[in-house]
Amino acid sequence: VFLILVVLKINDVITSSWWFIFIPFFVSVCWSFAISVRTALKRRRNNESDLQTNAAWLRVISVGVLSLLSLLFAVLLVPLLQGTGQYSVAWVFVPLYVIGLFAFCVSCVVVPPILLFLISRKSARTAASEMRPFRTSNRPYTPPPFKRYPHFNPSKSTSTGAPSNEEAETNSGTEKVAEIV
């Protein structure tokens, strides 16, 4: 609605003031802040985990700062659009620069430690679940029967599993006989 009103005002279809045009913008910014506060209060009321509640309040703070800076941008922009502002356009865009700086700081300084914490917590939870026994019965554990393999003879091989010198010589002699025949 806001963009439609701006386009209509720029094309001189609407003769309303710029303050009237910006009402949908003001309402949407305030609405997003109210929804984030409501979500945080609901999580606190439902006694959800501390991590989720703290994340919701961090979201309230960040949405509040962004909302305040967006409203400041609009309040500085409207007088310039009406021709009553006695300041430079650069001052109008200062809140947007602060929003960019805020977004940069949040994405580069705050988010990685939170992600690392969540990943380490998840891996610790996974490790704890892997340490639980998968059998739930109270029967004693009996190992499976040992199967002897006919091709493996421990007396003829070394401790590394490689053939002994005698076995290697026997094999090379057999190969020579097979080549001659």
Side-chain angles (χ1 to χ4, degrees), residues 91-141:
W91 287 108
V92 173
F93 288 97
V94 167
L96 294 182
Y97 297 138
V98 173
I99 288 173
L101 180 66
F102 180 73
F104 177 75
C105 289
V106 166
S107 65
C108 294
V109 176
V110 176
V111 172
I114 291 173
L115 289 177
L116 287 174
F117 172 74
L118 293 175
I119 290 169
S120 67
R121 219 173 146 196
K122 182 179 178 185
S123 61
R125 206 175 317 125
T126 305
S129 68
E130 288 174 357
M131 291 187 339
R132 292 188 197 129
F134 19 113
R135 292 184 306 107
T136 57
S137 66
N138 292 330
R139 291 182 291 158
Y141 175 74

Side-chain angles (χ1 to χ4, degrees), residues 2 26-27 33 35 37 46 48 54 72 104 122 127 133 155 162 177:
F2 169 67
F26 296 138
V27 169
F33 180 69
I35 286 177
V37 169
N46 292 341
E48 292 188 21
N54 291 343
L72 182 61
F104 177 75
K122 182 179 178 185
S155 63
V177 172

